[in-house]
């Protein structure tokens, strides 16, 4: 564990002891304050479904939303609040971060709120593993996003008579044609996590599931510095010249807008982008298409959204709220309505997917048949702390034309070793 994490853990653990002394809550009996980063159009619509469903149960969702896709800023704010002993009641925490917070003793087990059998019956194994810590479920899973998608602007592809690229060679040919025609080949935002997401998709396609997991889940150094990894970084860098430029301070929402405005032809992004296009009136398969990232057929990098409940000192009414929160969120009606707005797929097994669009139907089928890997750019494989460090290195390499693939693999491997010490 890094010194930074150790220090953070110590401060948080100690400050938690002071909570009852420092704070009293004036939140109304039926309110539930939730920290999250769902602020884009599709995310807001999905959230409206969530708020409405909870309100019907007399639970008033109090927004504590921090702008910033990917959640980097939201997680920083959460740490600050936890440090000052004022954590919200619930927060959007996912992947290995769940265990990090659970280790500090700050989270409520969710299998206390509803019987374990209910969770066991409805959730896929990978979801159960993701939300577990020391034999208990510590988070409430909400939905599953697929990350390794390539989105295409249908009008541009038709106009230029292009077919969806299935290999990286085809991709470069298609990107060249798009560029010559005056369109931006790849809509790409200016955040480091988006660079990371693009690299992840390339790496997964070239390494395959096994080596991807050895590198980014088990941190096997021999894979991290291997020739295959150098090849993945080289391929990734080749995409730079096709990406939208001048995107500093802009993120995936701005990039997705370029695609829906017919300024850009393709985007690598998780299917939350579909939620955004849907919110702006665009129709899947009519305005835009979803295809596998080249050479990644049969592979599925997943991102499971989930909420945790923080321990607070006035538990009585909150427990009641939490139970309603959980019951609502796990119901199939809610799962369907929410995911349709969000662009994701339900977290429940055996759902009837007829009312979903064809991208979500494909995603649900693939989730059940493909090789699944956790998306590291979405904090599913590592803690958000390590993910941020990795993203910085990946991003610096992507934007610096002098940086070499041979050097970045060593840098990345050293950073991972340092953080994991
Ligand atoms: C991810 C989150 C998704 C989506 C995305 C962009 O981290 O899991 O639900 O909202 O960020 O904001």
């Amino acid at each position: 564990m890094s010194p930074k994490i150790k220090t953070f853990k110590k401060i948080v653990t100690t400050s938690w002891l002071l909570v009852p002394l420092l704070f009293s809550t004036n939140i109304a009996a039926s309110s539930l304050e939730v920290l999250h980063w769902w602020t884009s159009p599709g995310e807001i619509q999905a959230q409206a479904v969530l708020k409405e469903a909870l309100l019907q149960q007399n639970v008033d969702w109090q927004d504590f939303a921090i702008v910033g896709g990917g959640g980097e800023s939201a997680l920083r704010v959460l740490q600050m609040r936890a440090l000052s002993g004022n954590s919200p009641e619930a927060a959007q925490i996912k992947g290995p971060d769940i265990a990090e917070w659970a280790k500090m003793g700050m989270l409520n087990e969710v299998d206390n709120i509803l019987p374990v059998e209910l969770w066991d019956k409805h959730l896929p194994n990978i979801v159960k593993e993701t939300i577990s810590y020391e034999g208990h479920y510590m988070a409430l899973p909400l939905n599953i996003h697929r990350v390794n998608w390539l989105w295409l602007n249908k009008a541009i592809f038709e106009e230029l008579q292009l077919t969806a690229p299935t290999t990286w060679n085809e991709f470069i040919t298609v990107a060249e044609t798009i560029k010559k025609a005056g369109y931006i080949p790849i809509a790409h935002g200016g955040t480091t996590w988006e660079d990371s997401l693009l690299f992840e998709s390339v790496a997964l396609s070239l390494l395959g599931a096994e080596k991807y997991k050895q590198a980014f889940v088990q941190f096997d150094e021999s894979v991290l510095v291997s020739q295959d990894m150098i090849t993945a970084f080289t391929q990734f860098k080749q995409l730079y010249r096709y990406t939208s430029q001048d995107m500093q301070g802009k993120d995936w929402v701005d990039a997705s807008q370029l695609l829906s405005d017919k300024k850009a032809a393709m985007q690598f992004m998780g299917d939350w982008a579909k939620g955004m296009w849907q919110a702006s009136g665009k129709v899947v398969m009519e305005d835009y298409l979803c295809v596998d990232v080249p050479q990644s057929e049969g592979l599925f990098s997943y991102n499971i959204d989930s909420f945790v409940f923080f321990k607070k000192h006035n538990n009585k009414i909150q427990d009641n709220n939490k139970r309603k929160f959980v019951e609502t969120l796990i119901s199939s009606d809610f799962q369907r309505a929410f995911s349709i707005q969000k662009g994701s797929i339900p977290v429940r097994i055996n759902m009837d997917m007829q009312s979903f669009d064809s991208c979500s139907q494909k995603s649900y089928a693939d989730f059940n048949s493909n090789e699944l890997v956790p998306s590291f750019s979405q904090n599913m494989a590592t803690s958000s702390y390590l993910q941020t460090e990795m993203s910085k290195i990946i991003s610096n390499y992507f934007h610096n034309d002098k940086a070499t693939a041979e050097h970045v693999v060593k840098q990345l491997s050293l950073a991972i070793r340092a953080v994991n010490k």
Side-chain angles (χ1 to χ4, degrees):
M1 196 186 287
S2 77
K4 262 193 194 169
I5 289 183
K6 271 187 202 143
T7 318
F8 171 67
K9 184 177 162 185
K10 199 167 162 210
I11 300 168
V12 168
T13 313
T14 333
S15 70
W16 165 241
L17 299 173
L18 301 173
V19 173
L21 300 176
L22 291 175
F23 289 88
S24 67
T25 173
N26 53 8
I27 292 168
S30 60
S31 77
L32 189 80
E33 192 198 19
V34 189
L35 184 143
H36 63 90
W37 60 90
W38 286 340
T39 50
S40 76
E43 292 167 344
I44 290 171
Q45 290 210 347
Q47 218 186 107
V49 173
L50 181 56
K51 283 181 184 168
E52 181 51 36
L54 290 170
L55 211 55
Q56 279 177 20
Q57 303 271 11
N58 220 16
V59 176
D60 184 15
W61 162 296
Q62 301 278 311
D63 251 336
F64 192 71
I66 314 287
V67 181
E72 230 175 89
S73 316
L75 292 171
R76 264 201 304 274
V77 172
L78 182 60
Q79 289 180 353
M80 299 297 286
R81 284 195 55 171
L83 284 171
S84 66
N86 184 28
S87 43
E89 271 137 296
Q92 189 182 359
I93 302 261
K94 48 183 190 159
D97 278 349
I98 298 170
E100 293 286 321
W101 286 93
K103 242 182 257 170
M104 294 187 276
M106 300 191 73
L107 304 185
N108 273 316
E109 294 158 8
V110 295
D111 45 25
N112 280 346
I113 303 172
L114 277 191
V116 161
E117 303 77 61
L118 191 94
W119 301 94
D120 286 347
K121 193 166 134 208
H122 294 305
L123 300 178
N125 286 339
I126 203 89
V127 173
K128 287 189 250 185
E129 281 162 26
T130 307
I131 59 168
S132 292
Y133 175 69
E134 293 192 337
H136 288 285
Y137 297 143
M138 303 302 296
L140 169 62
L142 201 55
N143 62 330
I144 302 168
H145 279 295
R146 181 183 196 154
V147 179
N148 59 326
W149 281 121
L150 174 64
W151 305 94
L152 311 177
N153 176 297
K154 195 174 171 205
I156 298 181
F157 268 72
E158 279 179 2
E159 187 182 306
L160 304 179
Q161 298 182 345
L162 296 169
T163 49
T166 56
T167 64
W168 288 110
N169 283 343
E170 283 174 18
F171 185 91
I172 300 292
T173 309
V174 162
E176 278 296 333
T177 309
I178 294 168
K179 203 169 175 175
K180 280 194 193 110
Y183 295 111
I184 301 163
I186 307 173
H188 187 70
T191 64
T192 55
W193 72 263
E194 284 166 271
D195 294 336
S196 216
L197 182 148
L198 179 53
F199 172 67
E200 165 185 312
S201 283
V202 174
L204 176 61
S205 74
L206 296 180
L207 296 172
E210 213 35 57
K211 282 191 185 155
Y212 173 96
K213 285 193 269 188
Q214 283 168 1
F216 302 115
V217 181
Q218 291 137 27
F219 306 121
D220 180 333
E221 288 195 20
S222 66
V223 182
L224 280 166
V225 298
S226 65
Q227 185 52 49
D228 287 342
M229 193 63 79
I230 293 174
T231 307
F233 269 106
T234 307
Q235 180 63 63
F236 167 57
K237 189 76 159 267
Q238 275 185 26
L239 303 181
Y240 181 78
R241 62 186 300 267
Y242 302 111
T243 56
S244 42
Q245 304 295 309
D246 304 322
M247 293 296 277
Q248 271 116 337
K250 298 186 177 165
D251 72 359
W252 69 274
V253 180
D254 306 285
S256 298
Q257 194 64 49
L258 289 175
L259 191 129
S260 65
D261 289 346
K262 205 184 164 214
K263 289 184 179 145
M266 303 183 275
Q267 185 178 11
F268 294 87
M269 189 46 60
D271 38 23
W272 47 87
K274 189 154 62 77
M276 186 249 163
W277 290 315
Q278 185 168 274
S280 58
K282 300 288 175 188
V283 179
V284 66
M285 303 326 262
E286 280 177 30
D287 297 307
Y288 61 95
L289 311 169
C290 57
V291 294
D292 292 321
V293 162
Q295 299 177 208
S296 80
E297 210 193 323
L299 303 170
F300 188 117
S301 63
Y302 63 84
N303 174 24
I304 304 164
D305 280 317
S306 56
F307 284 98
V308 297
F309 293 110
F310 281 89
K311 283 183 181 162
K312 303 281 279 184
H313 59 288
N314 56 342
N315 267 325
K316 210 166 170 210
I317 293 172
Q318 287 165 11
D319 274 351
N320 186 30
N321 284 350
K322 278 177 227 150
R323 193 175 42 76
K324 289 178 185 171
F325 189 92
V326 174
E327 276 170 356
T328 305
L329 268 55
I330 210 165
S331 69
S332 21
D333 284 350
F334 171 80
Q335 282 287 315
R336 180 173 299 105
F338 179 82
S339 264
I340 285 178
Q341 296 300 328
K342 187 74 170 68
S344 51
I345 55 171
V347 80
R348 270 177 81 118
I349 52 177
N350 299 326
M351 288 281 296
D352 175 357
M353 293 294 288
Q354 261 178 26
S355 47
F356 283 78
D357 63 49
S358 52
C359 298
S360 291
Q361 286 176 358
K362 171 175 162 51
S363 184
Y364 198 73
D366 286 354
F367 182 79
N368 289 307
S369 59
N370 281 4
E371 283 198 80
L372 304 176
V373 302
S375 160
F376 76 79
S377 70
Q378 297 308 305
N379 303 350
M380 281 289 124
T382 69
S383 67
S384 53
Y385 178 74
L386 175 53
Q387 191 272 326
T388 306
E389 295 306 304
M390 289 168 68
S391 284
K392 280 187 214 154
I393 292 169
I394 292 167
S395 185
N396 283 339
Y397 163 79
F398 193 52
H399 293 270
N400 174 356
D401 56 8
K402 298 213 171 54
T404 67
E406 286 75 9
H407 181 63
V408 74
V409 295
K410 288 186 197 138
Q411 248 187 318
L412 190 66
S413 156
L414 282 175
I416 290 173
R417 198 195 303 168
V419 172
N420 282 341
K421 242 184 205 158

